[in-house]
Amino acid sequence: MKREQKISELYDAVLELNTGERAVFLEAECRDDQFLFAELKELLVEFEDVQSKDFMSAPAFELEAEYFADEDSDMRIGQTFGHYKILEKIGAGGMGTIYLAERADDEFQKRAAIKIIKRGMDTDAILRRFRQERQILAALEHPNIAHLLDGGTTADGLPYLVMEFIEGVPINVYCDENDLDLGERLQLFRRVCAAVSFAHQKLVVHRDLKPSNILVTKDGAPKLLDFGIAKLLNSTNVNETQTQHRVLTPAYASPEQIRGEIVSTASDVYSLGLILREILQVQSPKSKVESSAEDQKPKTKNLAGDLQAILQTALREDTARRYGSAEKFSEDIRRYLGGLPISARKDTFGYRTRKFLRRNRIGVTALTIIFLLLIGGIFAIWRQAQIAEREREKAERRAENLRKLSSSFAVELHAAILNLPGSLPARQLLLTRAVEQLDALAAESDGNPQLQDELAQGYYNLGLMPNINLADGENNNRKAIAIYQKLLVDEPENIQYRKQLAKGYTLQANVQKVRGDTTDALLFLQKSVVILESVVADEPLTIEHRRLLREINGDTSTILMLMGRARESLEISRKAQSLGEELIKSGTVDDDFERMTYALHFDECKSLTYLGDYKNSLELLQTDLQIVSEQSAMHPNDTRYRYELWAYRRSLALTLERSGEKQAALENLQTALKLIEELWKMSSDDVGYQRNTSFTHLAIGQFFVRQNQAQKALPHFRQSLEMSEKLIAKDPAKGETFEDLARIHSGFGNALVLLGKHEDGLKNLRKSLGFYEKALERDAENASLRRDYAETLAQIADALKKSLNPNERREAKDDFAQSLQIWQDLQNKGILNYADLKELFIIGKIFSDDRKR
């Protein structure tokens, strides 16, 4: 840009400002060019001198607008524009005059604000923009945006706009008059961001955000004014923009707006940053002229750290380095208010740890003290071991102390923080460091059995980390199993080693279940039961042994259910229940959680529902749910209770639906979704919570399809699909996720078919078959998978049977036949659930009728 052109543009821009704003504007625009500043300052001094003597020095555009505005103000009162009659003048600005109006007909009473654009603007261009944009702006239906109601031109050719009338005060005034604290100001600002984000999603940019365009009503609701009016007045036509009047407020405009560059949503983000800084009562550099040193001091002490980083990110001159959207800007404020890490700060381990500690001050204070003492103790012991290197006896004693501390990290301290919300990063760090130290000590210990035992327990805990992939988890389990198998060679009757080996087999059974291999999972559980039964026989009075045996029986019941062996599952679950009742009667189990867990009937209820005994299943589930709810209320920060509540709500929903109580079933599913989403938010790295959140969305989608409400099912299937695809990409070894994807695509496809979208529906149903086949390759004995596969085949056949294409009709017959064969095979083996018998009858009848035709 030539220097003369730049001087001309800046000179025109500065003349549009109030006298008090001009020096600030020039200082901001010319900060890197003092000669440019001097030239413009001199021109401005001359202009102001001439202006004080002669009206001819004022721009004709402004003189004309001011003249006619004053002339027309009173004349407009009583005039009717569209359906609205002007009552009084309520304001004037750089764009025109604003009037209060009311609806002129008797249809209903409504007040509105009418803005009549000032003279001198290119009316033809504006009218073309009105016709293009008015419908878009009228669609901005948001509770925090003042609606554009109508628009047109006056009899004398001036454009006007009819807007919702808002009774309120500018947001900065509202904050000060009501003495809002920092949190209240930030929450109010987030509502403004939500409105701006909504408009951006509709492809509308405000372009002139400032406090006077954000009014707050008496009830505290912010309302954005003039949304999109700047867009209406700024033509995108190249020829028009050469002479047009740019609508902006320099004090709140982004750098690219002032430079006359293309305006985007990033410009609104910048303006929002300036507004936030102002409502937090921090002065802008643009307002420092002629103010005292005391006035220039920030009035809010909270702008260090995260809040300062948020403002700096919003106000970056480079649009690429600002927040990508108003939504991301608001999200960082939400995270700041919640004590969570923000995206505007570098994501370091130290930063995330500090935020975690601040959020959990009460629960973590004791843990922090213990942690620091233990770290200090380890360091001191290590240091002493170095100093006493030549004194073998002393070195061995120090090493033994180090072993005890590392073992405490791996077992005791880990158990103490296991169920603390958001403790996963700390647990991961503790276990990793402790196991590394134990591993190093074990390599030098020449087979010390006690050290080997503690190292193996550390491996078990590492393998149980919810964010670990399946292969790494299995590797840790197998390391521990190998240690105990070796220890038992020397001490075959050792109770501790036998009990821990049984635990290893149980953990490995869970790995096989997640991989999608119920057959191997059952084999590992059976090996574990044999070992623990021998342990209980040797020490019948030890409660811990009976507790472990009860848990393993419960796991065995779950696997048998997946294999369709419901009656065996019921028998095992009742055996586990009996063991739990014995624990209660012993009087030695006094912990509320243990008392709750081992006395309930969760596994028994699943078997009863499968067998069609809904009445008894419901009675037990509802009784147990009451107990779980009471325990959760007593221990609100213990994640175990919330997880139990989720499991019970989901199981209860299925039983309620099958017993005919549809609404109650849906309410329990929705409650279950809320519970598991809260757990996942507290531990976002926990893939178990993520999978169960996806699984709950799937269950809700399936429920709506069964109730013939396919449209309501679609968002849940989409959410479940997105989450499961991320899980399978992260760890393809997890066969459970293949099963989830099979069921998601099946439900999604069935919903689309019900909505008449047969092509997309069949595409998803066939994709579902591919996932079922992959899952069945790993787990051919999984009856639940086989019956769902058969059901999907039947759904494809049903969608194709009325097709005019002979190939598709043949495919329908083949699919019906294959589905029927699977159902009959399951029935012959006695592993159909009660609800499936009806499905078998329907498919058998369809197939029979089809063959007759």
Side-chain angles (χ1 to χ4, degrees):
M1 180 187 293
K2 293 182 179 179
R3 187 174 185 82
E4 293 80 2
Q5 183 181 354
K6 185 171 184 179
I7 291 173
S8 176
E9 289 188 2
L10 289 176
Y11 184 61
D12 289 341
V14 80
L15 291 182
E16 295 178 13
L17 303 177
N18 296 330
T19 303
E21 295 177 330
R22 290 171 177 173
V24 179
F25 176 75
L26 288 181
E27 183 182 274
E29 292 296 325
C30 306
R31 57 181 178 272
D32 297 327
D33 190 338
Q34 293 302 316
F35 293 103
L36 178 63
F37 177 82
E39 289 182 64
L40 286 166
K41 188 69 175 177
E42 184 177 350
L43 288 171
L44 186 59
V45 170
E46 292 178 1
F47 169 79
E48 291 174 345
D49 182 57
V50 174
Q51 187 183 45
S52 64
K53 301 174 182 178
D54 189 352
F55 75 94
M56 290 298 291
S57 61
F61 181 94
E62 292 187 0
L63 283 174
E64 181 189 20
E66 291 172 5
Y67 174 78
F68 284 106
D70 290 338
E71 180 184 55
D72 291 348
S73 294
D74 294 333
M75 293 173 58
R76 299 291 186 193
I77 296 173
Q79 291 183 359
T80 300
F81 294 90
H83 295 290
Y84 294 91
K85 179 180 179 181
I86 289 180
L87 300 178
E88 59 180 286
K89 176 182 174 182
I90 57 175
M95 290 164 52
T97 307
I98 304 172
Y99 298 90
L100 175 63
E102 67 177 2
R103 195 167 176 94
D105 52 41
D106 296 329
E107 186 174 342
F108 55 87
Q109 291 184 339
K110 185 178 181 66
R111 282 190 161 192
I114 296 182
K115 174 173 283 191
I116 301 178
I117 308 303
K118 63 186 179 184
R119 296 183 184 277
M121 305 188 80
D122 191 344
T123 306
D124 291 338
I126 293 171
L127 287 175
R128 284 197 298 273
R129 296 292 291 169
F130 281 168
R131 287 191 293 270
Q132 294 169 4
E133 302 288 350
R134 188 168 57 193
Q135 187 60 40
I136 297 174
L137 299 179
L140 291 182
E141 294 289 339
H142 190 278
N144 299 116
I145 297 178
H147 303 151
L148 176 65
L149 303 176
D150 201 354
T153 56
T154 65
D156 50 349
L158 292 179
Y160 70 86
L161 302 163
V162 182
M163 297 167 291
E164 177 186 3
F165 176 65
I166 305 299
E167 291 188 79
V169 296
I171 187 169
N172 57 336
V173 176
Y174 179 86
C175 290
D176 291 340
E177 287 182 349
N178 291 274
D179 196 24
L180 300 188
D181 61 26
L182 178 63
E184 291 170 332
R185 291 173 189 242
L186 292 174
Q187 292 289 12
L188 181 65
F189 181 74
R190 288 193 67 226
R191 296 174 68 184
V192 175
C193 289
V196 175
S197 177
F198 173 81
H200 288 177
Q201 292 170 12
K202 299 290 185 180
L203 306 181
V204 178
V205 182
H206 193 290
R207 305 179 183 220
D208 193 23
L209 287 169
K210 53 188 175 182
S212 60
N213 271 340
I214 306 171
L215 300 185
V216 184
T217 61
K218 291 181 180 178
D219 58 358
K223 290 279 189 175
L224 273 66
L225 310 181
D226 286 0
F227 221 123
I229 293 177
K231 181 177 176 66
L232 284 171
L233 298 177
N234 283 339
S235 173
T236 55
N237 185 290
V238 174
N239 294 326
E240 292 170 0
T241 55
Q242 290 175 352
T243 58
Q244 72 176 21
H245 173 69
R246 280 192 294 131
V247 179
L248 56 82
T249 303
Y252 298 96
S254 64
E256 60 270 21
Q257 282 180 281
I258 292 175
R259 293 193 296 265
E261 297 172 355
I262 295 175
V263 174
S264 67
T265 56
S267 301
D268 279 354
V269 170
Y270 188 93
S271 298
L272 285 170
L274 292 172
I275 294 167
L276 176 60
R277 184 164 59 185
E278 182 165 340
I279 67 174
L280 294 182
Q281 299 180 330
V282 177
Q283 292 183 337
S284 164
K286 296 181 181 181
S287 62
K288 289 184 178 179
V289 177
E290 298 180 358
S291 62
S292 67
E294 182 63 28
D295 290 338
Q296 294 180 25
K297 292 180 180 178
K299 299 179 183 178
T300 301
K301 299 179 180 179
N302 298 290
L303 290 192
D306 285 359
L307 198 52
Q308 184 180 43
I310 289 171
L311 278 171
Q312 288 175 342
T313 302
L315 295 174
R316 293 194 189 281
E317 183 160 344
D318 184 357
T319 58
R321 297 180 63 203
R322 285 180 211 155
Y323 285 110
S325 65
E327 184 178 9
K328 290 182 179 178
F329 188 3
S330 176
E331 173 62 13
D332 251 8
I333 295 173
R334 184 192 71 78
R335 296 184 68 84
Y336 166 78
L337 289 170
L340 297 168
I342 63 170
S343 65
R345 292 284 294 272
K346 188 175 180 181
D347 189 13
T348 64
F349 177 78
Y351 171 62
R352 294 180 68 86
T353 300
R354 288 194 302 274
K355 301 300 288 186
F356 169 76
L357 293 175
R358 288 172 186 168
R359 291 198 308 275
N360 299 275
R361 290 179 183 175
I362 297 176
V364 179
T365 299
L367 172 62
T368 303
I369 295 171
I370 295 170
F371 180 77
L372 292 174
L373 288 173
L374 289 171
I375 290 294
I378 287 178
F379 177 78
I381 292 170
W382 175 82
R383 181 63 179 165
Q384 288 299 318
Q386 293 293 321
I387 296 172
E389 185 176 1
R390 297 179 183 177
E391 303 176 34
R392 179 177 180 139
E393 185 175 346
K394 182 184 286 187
E396 288 178 350
R397 189 163 57 249
R398 300 302 186 202
E400 176 65 7
N401 289 336
L402 179 57
R403 177 194 65 76
K404 290 179 180 178
L405 283 172
S406 297
S407 176
S408 178
F409 267 35
V411 182
E412 297 170 356
L413 185 56
H414 175 262
I417 66 171
L418 177 62
N419 298 297
L420 184 68
S423 63
L424 182 58
R427 288 164 52 203
Q428 186 82 47
L429 179 63
L430 284 174
L431 280 174
T432 302
R433 296 291 178 264
V435 171
E436 286 174 356
Q437 188 62 55
L438 286 170
D439 215 352
L441 289 170
E444 302 171 0
S445 69
D446 195 24
N448 183 318
Q450 188 175 7
L451 182 56
Q452 293 290 323
D453 180 21
E454 292 163 349
L455 175 61
Q457 290 185 60
Y459 282 137
Y460 280 154
N461 286 334
L462 268 181
L464 285 168
M465 284 287 102
N467 61 341
I468 197 170
N469 65 50
L470 196 64
D472 290 342
E474 182 178 19
N475 185 46
N476 282 295
N477 291 338
R478 291 193 179 278
K479 283 182 181 180
I481 289 171
I483 289 173
Y484 286 117
Q485 287 173 334
K486 185 177 179 181
L487 289 171
L488 282 167
V489 171
D490 296 326
E491 296 183 60
E493 300 302 318
N494 187 297
I495 295 291
Q496 166 68 5
Y497 301 160
R498 289 155 63 193
K499 183 177 68 176
Q500 290 297 329
L501 180 59
K503 178 180 179 180
Y505 288 148
T506 304
L507 293 175
Q508 191 57 35
N510 186 62
V511 169
Q512 295 304 115
K513 175 180 173 290
V514 173
R515 180 174 282 120
D517 187 348
T518 54
T519 302
D520 278 353
L522 184 59
L523 290 174
F524 276 107
L525 285 171
Q526 289 169 340
K527 291 167 68 173
S528 181
V529 168
V530 169
I531 294 172
L532 271 177
E533 285 180 341
S534 71
V535 169
V536 171
D538 290 344
E539 290 186 357
L541 299 179
T542 304
I543 298 300
E544 176 67 8
H545 305 338
R546 292 177 177 272
R547 183 183 66 79
L548 290 173
L549 184 57
R550 191 269 177 202
E551 289 181 0
I552 294 170
N553 276 312
D555 292 340
T556 304
S557 173
T558 298
I559 295 297
L560 288 170
M561 279 292 301
L562 289 174
M563 300 175 78
R565 295 156 64 176
R567 297 197 181 279
E568 292 177 65
S569 174
L570 181 59
E571 182 181 348
I572 295 293
S573 66
R574 284 176 173 167
K575 182 179 178 181
Q577 178 67 20
S578 177
L579 287 166
E581 290 171 355
E582 289 178 14
L583 290 171
I584 299 299
K585 291 176 183 177
S586 70
T588 57
V589 184
D590 55 4
D591 179 83
D592 286 335
F593 175 70
E594 289 186 347
R595 187 182 296 273
M596 177 195 72
T597 302
Y598 307 134
L600 298 184
H601 315 80
F602 188 78
D603 297 316
E604 183 180 353
C605 291
K606 287 194 294 185
S607 300
L608 289 171
T609 298
Y610 191 95
L611 293 169
D613 189 353
Y614 304 137
K615 182 176 180 296
N616 285 323
S617 180
L618 277 176
E619 288 178 359
L620 291 172
L621 281 170
Q622 288 168 340
T623 300
D624 293 350
L625 181 59
Q626 180 63 32
I627 297 172
V628 177
S629 300
E630 290 172 359
Q631 294 297 322
S632 181
M634 291 171 61
H635 306 279
N637 294 321
D638 195 322
T639 57
R640 293 174 297 183
Y641 298 106
R642 298 190 193 182
Y643 189 82
E644 288 284 338
L645 278 173
W646 166 78
Y648 270 95
R649 289 285 185 184
R650 187 172 57 82
S651 185
L652 180 60
L654 175 61
T655 309
L656 284 167
E657 183 187 356
R658 290 188 175 177
S659 64
E661 297 184 44
K662 312 295 185 184
Q663 184 58 37
L666 177 59
E667 290 171 359
N668 275 276
L669 280 173
Q670 290 169 336
T671 301
L673 179 61
K674 182 179 179 181
L675 287 165
I676 197 65
E677 283 180 333
E678 288 175 352
L679 285 169
W680 187 28
K681 286 178 182 177
M682 287 189 288
S683 297
S684 58
D685 292 332
D686 191 323
V687 294
Y689 289 153
Q690 184 176 355
R691 191 247 172 176
N692 285 326
T693 303
S694 169
F695 193 76
T696 309
H697 274 293
L698 169 60
I700 295 175
Q702 291 172 327
F703 172 88
F704 281 129
V705 168
R706 287 192 293 269
Q707 306 311 312
N708 202 27
Q709 299 180 55
Q711 191 64 48
K712 292 183 178 180
L714 293 182
H716 291 286
F717 286 133
R718 290 192 180 100
Q719 185 69 27
S720 183
L721 180 61
E722 180 183 349
M723 296 167 72
S724 292
E725 285 178 339
K726 289 179 180 177
L727 286 170
I728 203 67
K730 186 175 182 179
D731 194 353
K734 290 188 175 179
E736 277 187 340
T737 313
F738 280 99
E739 297 172 22
D740 292 346
L741 286 166
R743 292 184 172 104
I744 293 166
H745 281 292
S746 176
F748 201 9
N750 196 19
L752 291 170
V753 169
L754 288 173
L755 291 170
K757 300 177 181 180
H758 285 75
E759 184 176 348
D760 288 341
L762 283 168
K763 181 180 177 182
N764 276 277
L765 287 167
R766 287 170 175 146
K767 186 179 256 188
S768 170
L769 291 183
F771 282 111
Y772 275 125
E773 287 161 3
K774 287 181 181 179
L776 285 167
E777 285 176 7
R778 306 178 184 213
D779 199 4
E781 295 303 313
N782 190 320
S784 178
L785 267 179
R786 292 172 67 197
R787 56 92 50 216
D788 289 346
Y789 179 65
E791 188 175 41
T792 302
L793 283 167
Q795 289 166 352
I796 294 175
D798 191 61
L800 293 174
K801 68 181 182 181
K802 296 181 181 179
S803 172
L804 299 178
N805 186 321
N807 291 329
E808 290 186 340
R809 288 201 301 273
R810 280 194 295 273
E811 182 185 345
K813 289 182 179 180
D814 292 340
D815 288 342
F816 268 132
Q818 188 178 354
S819 176
L820 183 61
Q821 181 61 49
I822 296 172
W823 287 113
Q824 289 175 336
D825 182 54
L826 292 171
Q827 185 187 32
N828 292 338
K829 292 180 179 180
I831 55 178
L832 274 185
N833 70 39
Y834 181 82
D836 289 335
L837 293 173
K838 181 180 178 182
E839 187 76 15
L840 172 60
F841 172 80
I842 293 171
I843 292 176
K845 187 176 186 305
I846 291 172
F847 185 70
S848 176
D849 293 344
D850 193 66
R851 291 184 66 181
K852 289 177 182 178
R853 286 194 296 271

